[in-house]
Amino acid sequence: MGTTAGELELSFYEKFLWGRGIEPYPVQEQALAHIFAGSSVLVTVPTGTGKTLMAKAALHAALARGQRAIYTTPLRALTEEKYRELGEDFGEENVGFATGDYKVNREAPIQVEVAEILWNRIVAEKHVSPADIVVMDEGHYFNDPERGYVWEQSIIGLDPRTQLVILSATVGHPEKFCHWVELTRRMPMALVDSRERKVPLVHEFREELIVDTVKDLFHSGDVPAIIFVFGREQCFEIARLLMSCRLFTTDEEKAMIEILCDEALLPSGAARELRPLLTHGIGIHHAGILPRYKQLVEALALERLIKFVVSTETIAAGINLPARTVVFPALRKFIKKEPRLVTAAEYHQMAGRAGRPQFDDRGLAITLAPDEVVAEIKKELKAGAKRPAYDESKIKKNVYNRARSDAQRKGDIAWTPEVHAELVAGQPAELRSKTKITAEQVLAIGLPDLTSVRAKALGIMGVGDPAAVAPELTEAARRMAEAEVSLPPSMRLDIVTVIENLLLGDRDRKELLKVLVHLVENLRAIGVIDDGGHQVAGTMIRELQGMDGLFIYYTLFNHQLEYVELR
């Protein structure tokens, strides 16, 4: 195999495209050209545009050049799927796998990892490049409120010599993000941006019950369909509800499903409920399901043997389970028991699963009104039909207004056709920093030497305002500090470097530095770090016995207390 960029690109086209009778999309050709040229690149395109092919191009190039490559995903289920898929493409001996508690073939040149594994390697093995090429799949997770810091800090700490390929759903103003990456890594970052879907997507809002929608989709042939719910328990609730419909499978399909179930399912446990659902033509998919069952559901759906898959958002995160139709029984989800509407980005990520380029001329995304609204509208329209004249639109408007008021009174949220229209028209969200500076982050990433010129200049010795300390520095010391700042972040990675390079404005960075000063004071106060900022191993366990130690640990990590309070 040739090793020049042109020869590598040609060999890839022959193996993964032309050899399989596939013609690349123009956006794929643009991305492949950047990847084989060795450029770092952000690819932001709609769901179903073949981002996985672009990832394989980077891995193909790395393997041919004798380099190491890392492919990260946000979810364990997606990591497992990509591991299997890449093993088939590049040979099992060339592909390794790692999640938080499971590792396979870690010496292989291609590693498929949950994103946190890469972050751990970057912060734990400073000055060591984890790979020659890093592919970050589902890069829009940068905006995840709880986990977005993993993507942001991995970009900051990654060796600038590493080729970085970020694959994402569409995001707002991606050129701003690329500019930040360039400033942070001191390397060019190309952009491939497209909003064009290969299969048009139709959005509908229906005032009907899920059972009626499912019956209609089955009879019209708009299957397979994914029904998105926002909780594992709801998966079983909806699936059981669909069992009230007539079989969605023929006798032949049912027999084939039975054979595959015999091979994959255990005779007891959850399989006793899962098997009848599958033979009925209904699958369930969420992160808590055993991998062997999820793989069975994915295989049956791809073979079009099951017609409906009730799923949480895991499928939306790139798992290979495209459908003709997507159904939203609700647009409200609960985060830590608090209700909120799905965002436009979340909606489009899930709705984008509808429409398969090889099968469909369109995709269909259906949102259903709340069940109580549907029931109330039917009752009101039935009563209104007995009157000589009535205004159907006015009746519906009154029902939705009452539903909103009732939901607000109960601390809940009701969604309406107007809310749905806003989500459909919503623009992709910009990628924004989600990093929060906590004691856990400080200890994981590390502090600079608190006795150094740099620490004194920033005022993180616990002595107050940086401006009060800075005048003490000599001109030579200032030049030394400036020279250090000019180095790429990966060469001086600590929590201060992270804050200095976050995707934030100067004011927000200064606020985070104030938080850091406070945390450093607290950590020193209870003896977790010494005066130089180095962690003192075991102090809390040795000196704070029993519940006292646990209480202090909880307080430190969950509350911002003053120095005196902690002492």
Side-chain angles (χ1 to χ4, degrees):
M1 181 182 295
T3 54
T4 68
E7 290 170 331
L8 280 178
E9 188 168 2
L10 179 61
S11 66
F12 178 80
Y13 271 77
E14 289 174 341
K15 179 178 179 179
F16 288 93
L17 290 160
W18 301 330
R20 302 179 183 184
I22 299 172
E23 282 295 321
Y25 306 145
V27 70
Q28 288 177 321
E29 292 178 322
Q30 293 176 42
L32 296 180
H34 286 297
I35 290 168
F36 284 109
S39 303
S40 291
V41 60
L42 167 66
V43 181
T44 168
V45 291
T47 303
T49 313
K51 291 191 290 290
T52 299
L53 183 76
M54 305 171 198
K56 290 179 181 178
L59 306 181
H60 177 84
L63 202 58
R65 291 170 178 151
Q67 297 175 329
R68 291 182 61 82
I70 292 176
Y71 183 123
T72 72
T73 82
L75 301 174
R76 175 169 183 153
L78 184 55
T79 304
E80 292 169 348
E81 181 191 289
K82 295 303 179 186
Y83 168 66
R84 294 192 302 270
E85 183 179 342
L86 296 175
E88 294 173 0
D89 286 325
F90 297 105
E92 292 182 2
E93 71 282 1
N94 289 318
V95 184
F97 168 87
T99 60
D101 57 354
Y102 189 59
K103 297 177 176 62
V104 174
N105 198 15
R106 291 298 279 162
E107 299 304 313
I110 297 172
Q111 293 293 321
V112 187
E113 303 175 350
V114 173
E116 279 79 358
I117 300 292
L118 174 63
W119 177 83
N120 283 331
R121 291 172 68 178
I122 288 172
V123 301
E125 302 171 13
K126 297 179 175 71
H127 312 302
V128 176
S129 176
D132 300 286
I133 296 178
V134 167
V135 179
M136 293 182 175
D137 202 359
E138 307 298 323
H140 49 273
Y141 264 73
F142 193 101
N143 271 353
D144 186 279
E146 301 298 325
R147 298 173 63 209
Y149 75 91
V150 172
W151 281 259
E152 184 174 23
Q153 294 176 14
S154 295
I155 292 169
I156 291 170
L158 188 64
D159 190 309
R161 294 168 295 183
T162 298
Q163 183 183 359
L164 176 62
V165 178
I166 303 177
L167 307 175
S168 172
T170 49
V171 298
H173 301 292
E175 68 284 349
K176 291 183 181 179
F177 179 80
C178 286
H179 181 62
W180 168 75
V181 176
E182 289 188 357
L183 291 176
T184 301
R185 301 189 70 226
R186 319 292 169 84
M187 295 292 286
M189 187 75 176
L191 172 64
V192 175
D193 179 28
S194 174
R195 306 292 170 91
E196 181 185 353
R197 276 182 55 97
K198 301 310 294 182
V199 179
L201 184 59
V202 177
H203 302 268
E204 293 183 1
F205 189 90
R206 297 186 182 182
E207 289 151 347
E208 61 187 24
L209 299 175
I210 181 69
V211 170
D212 297 324
T213 302
V214 163
K215 289 177 180 177
D216 177 64
L217 292 175
F218 181 66
H219 288 301
S220 64
D222 287 320
V223 290
I226 300 171
I227 301 172
F228 279 114
V229 297
F230 304 111
R232 297 179 184 181
E233 300 82 5
Q234 290 177 280
C235 284
F236 278 99
E237 290 174 10
I238 295 291
R240 292 179 190 124
L241 191 60
L242 301 190
M243 286 280 283
S244 64
C245 301
R246 293 179 61 183
L247 283 173
F248 301 124
T249 51
T250 63
D251 290 342
E252 182 180 351
E253 288 171 336
K254 186 177 178 181
M256 293 175 67
I257 292 171
E258 290 279 12
I259 293 171
L260 292 171
C261 284
D262 289 338
E263 297 174 358
L265 294 183
L266 300 172
S268 59
R272 283 181 293 187
E273 181 170 13
L274 299 175
R275 182 188 285 262
L277 288 171
L278 290 172
T279 55
H280 202 99
I282 306 162
I284 290 175
H285 197 292
H286 63 67
I289 294 287
L290 287 173
R292 64 196 301 168
Y293 175 72
K294 284 188 288 192
Q295 292 168 26
L296 175 61
V297 170
E298 292 161 17
L300 292 174
L302 289 171
E303 293 296 325
R304 308 180 81 177
L305 292 174
I306 56 176
K307 309 305 186 292
F308 298 95
V309 177
V310 189
S311 173
T312 56
E313 293 170 89
T314 52
I315 286 179
I319 291 174
N320 185 26
L321 195 57
R324 180 173 176 83
T325 303
V326 160
V327 180
F328 297 92
L331 292 177
R332 180 252 288 113
K333 63 195 301 188
F334 288 89
I335 305 297
K336 296 180 180 179
K337 298 183 179 180
E338 290 295 321
R340 73 162 174 84
L341 293 170
V342 300
T343 65
E346 290 169 337
Y347 173 81
H348 284 285
Q349 177 71 2
M350 289 180 278
R353 305 306 299 178
R356 304 155 300 171
Q358 65 272 45
F359 296 118
D360 305 320
D361 56 357
R362 64 156 192 168
L364 181 59
I366 300 170
T367 296
L368 303 181
D371 286 351
E372 58 274 18
V373 168
V374 174
E376 193 67 18
I377 286 176
K378 285 184 177 179
K379 186 176 77 172
E380 295 273 348
L381 290 179
K382 186 176 181 180
K386 297 176 182 178
R387 298 193 293 269
Y390 69 97
D391 188 335
E392 181 175 325
S393 62
K394 188 174 181 180
I395 288 174
K396 289 184 178 182
K397 183 177 179 180
N398 290 337
V399 171
Y400 279 111
N401 286 338
R402 288 199 302 272
R404 274 197 299 264
S405 298
D406 290 345
Q408 191 172 11
R409 191 167 55 253
K410 297 173 184 175
D412 201 352
I413 295 173
W415 58 99
T416 65
E418 291 75 23
V419 167
H420 173 253
E422 288 176 8
L423 289 177
V424 172
Q427 294 300 308
E430 281 189 47
L431 298 178
R432 300 182 185 278
S433 176
K434 301 298 178 184
T435 290
K436 303 177 184 69
I437 302 303
T438 63
E440 186 176 13
Q441 291 246 323
V442 172
L443 296 177
I445 301 172
L447 285 158
D449 181 354
L450 295 185
T451 63
S452 69
V453 168
R454 179 167 168 239
K456 289 178 181 178
L458 290 165
I460 58 172
M461 271 292 290
V463 293
D465 191 319
V469 184
E472 301 173 6
L473 302 179
T474 66
E475 186 60 31
R478 288 181 188 280
R479 287 200 299 269
M480 185 183 301
E482 289 172 1
E484 186 178 352
V485 170
S486 70
L487 296 172
S490 64
M491 296 181 67
R492 50 186 176 88
L493 190 61
D494 54 46
I495 192 66
V496 174
T497 300
V498 167
I499 293 174
E500 290 172 338
N501 288 278
L502 292 173
L503 183 52
L504 291 172
D506 290 340
R507 179 182 296 179
D508 291 327
R509 288 198 193 98
K510 288 177 181 176
E511 289 301 313
L512 286 183
L513 280 172
K514 289 180 183 177
V515 172
L516 177 62
V517 170
H518 193 83
L519 283 170
V520 168
E521 290 175 346
N522 290 350
L523 290 166
R524 291 174 66 221
I526 63 171
V528 175
I529 60 174
D530 61 22
D531 288 342
H534 305 293
Q535 189 170 352
V536 181
T539 297
M540 192 174 292
I541 295 173
R542 279 200 308 272
E543 299 181 4
L544 300 171
Q545 299 296 325
M547 290 302 293
D548 287 344
L550 294 175
F551 172 74
I552 293 294
Y553 184 84
Y554 171 83
T555 303
L556 173 67
F557 277 81
N558 292 275
H559 299 279
Q560 299 287 343
L561 299 183
E562 297 300 328
Y563 179 93
V564 174
E565 294 173 305
L566 273 169
R567 290 308 294 176

